[in-house]
């Protein structure tokens, strides 16, 4: 039995103009879109009535944000499509709220997160710094505890979450785990993707 297409495969088809692939891409990620909409909607219940805002409005905006990533997603980057698109989904919802109210302050429910910083490119900051800006230290460690032990060990050693509390370079980490640098880089990307999906701000 043929397995269903992945987000990355659907994205490629949608980019070629396949309308059904675009619809299926939304369906595949509808659970995530709904969780994000519920988080934002629940965080400002009193404001919702003034703005005549409901969760379905946010879900629709989130779906549009997801689709806008189809043309900009780079499958060669090693980042999963949902990891890349998740900030755009949230940002689309936040933009919709801002448009409904001039007095809305983004810091009440979270600031915008750029696609570049979410993918850890072009920020000039380490992944550890990015995470600690968004989540408490306890939440980060809880997220680490929910990923595979091999990936957790890699992240803890690489970014100094182990007993020595010292951040290592990619080369040092690759040598420690007896990996090539390319393999270590791929392991790091996958581990960071998994950690992001476990952090509360993705829900």
């Amino acid at each position: 039995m043929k397995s269903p297409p992945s987000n990355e495969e659907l994205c490629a088809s949608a980019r070629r103009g396949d309308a059904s692939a675009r619809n299926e891409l939304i369906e595949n990620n509808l659970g995530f879109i709904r969780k994000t909409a519920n988080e934002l909607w629940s965080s400002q219940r009193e404001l919702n009535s003034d703005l005549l805002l409901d969760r379905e409005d946010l879900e629709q905006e989130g779906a549009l944000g997801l689709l806008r990533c189809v043309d900009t997603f780079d499958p060669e980057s090693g980042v999963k499509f949902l990891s890349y698109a998740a900030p755009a989904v949230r940002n689309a919802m936040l933009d919709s709220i801002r448009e409904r109210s001039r007095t809305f302050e983004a810091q009440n429910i979270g600031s915008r997160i750029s696609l570049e910083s979410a993918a850890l490119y072009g920020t000039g900051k380490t992944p550890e710094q990015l995470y600690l800006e968004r989540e408490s230290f306890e939440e980060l460690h809880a997220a680490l505890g929910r990923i595979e032990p091999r990936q957790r060990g890699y992240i803890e050693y690489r970014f100094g979450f182990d007993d020595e509390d010292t951040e290592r370079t990619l080369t040092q980490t690759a040598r420690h785990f007896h990996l090539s640098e390319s393999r270590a880089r791929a392991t790091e990307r996958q581990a960071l993707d998994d950690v992001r999906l476990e952090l509360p701000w993705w829900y």
Side-chain angles (χ1 to χ4, degrees):
M1 182 177 179
K2 186 178 180 180
S3 59
S6 66
N7 280 338
E8 292 71 30
E9 291 170 334
L10 289 171
C11 181
S13 297
R15 187 176 295 182
R16 292 192 295 267
D18 187 340
S20 63
R22 294 172 71 88
N23 293 334
E24 192 170 351
L25 194 60
I26 293 175
E27 288 296 323
N28 271 12
N29 298 284
L30 192 56
F32 169 77
I33 292 172
R34 285 175 173 167
K35 285 182 179 180
T36 305
N38 185 63
E39 175 197 348
L40 296 181
W41 189 87
S42 299
S43 68
Q44 45 152 21
R45 290 179 182 273
E46 294 182 1
L47 184 60
N48 292 331
S49 59
D50 294 334
L51 300 181
L52 301 178
L53 181 72
D54 56 37
R55 274 173 286 211
E56 288 73 19
D57 294 326
L58 294 180
E59 289 172 13
Q60 184 176 12
E61 294 297 332
L64 293 174
L66 182 89
L67 291 179
R68 282 194 286 270
C69 293
V70 167
D71 292 329
T72 57
F73 174 66
D74 179 10
E76 301 299 322
S77 67
V79 177
K80 291 183 179 180
F81 176 77
L82 182 56
S83 296
Y84 177 79
V89 171
R90 184 182 180 91
N91 288 343
M93 295 179 188
L94 288 171
D95 286 343
S96 176
I97 295 172
R98 291 191 185 96
E99 289 175 3
R100 289 173 179 255
S101 174
R102 293 182 180 180
T103 60
F104 173 76
E105 295 182 353
Q107 63 266 30
N108 290 336
I109 59 173
S111 58
R112 287 179 59 87
I113 306 162
S114 70
L115 296 177
E116 291 77 16
S117 67
L120 302 177
Y121 297 134
T123 63
K125 297 181 180 180
T126 68
E128 178 189 1
Q129 290 170 324
L130 287 170
Y131 287 140
L132 293 180
E133 288 176 0
R134 291 169 173 77
E135 301 297 332
S136 70
F137 199 70
E138 292 77 12
E139 287 170 335
L140 174 58
H141 275 274
L144 285 171
R146 291 191 290 270
I147 66 174
E148 293 183 2
R150 179 179 63 86
Q151 294 178 331
R152 181 173 66 251
Y154 181 98
I155 293 297
E156 288 176 344
Y157 183 85
R158 170 77 164 88
F159 299 112
F161 295 132
D162 56 5
D163 293 338
E164 295 186 23
D165 195 28
T166 302
E167 183 176 344
R168 283 88 171 186
T169 65
L170 178 68
T171 300
Q172 290 172 325
T173 306
R175 187 180 302 118
H176 177 80
F177 288 99
H178 305 289
L179 301 171
S180 66
E181 288 196 19
S182 61
R183 180 60 180 169
R185 187 175 293 106
T187 298
E188 184 171 314
R189 284 177 175 171
Q190 182 62 58
L192 290 173
D193 280 348
D194 290 348
V195 170
R196 290 191 197 97
L197 293 175
E198 293 294 342
L199 287 171
W201 66 277
W202 289 106
Y203 299 164

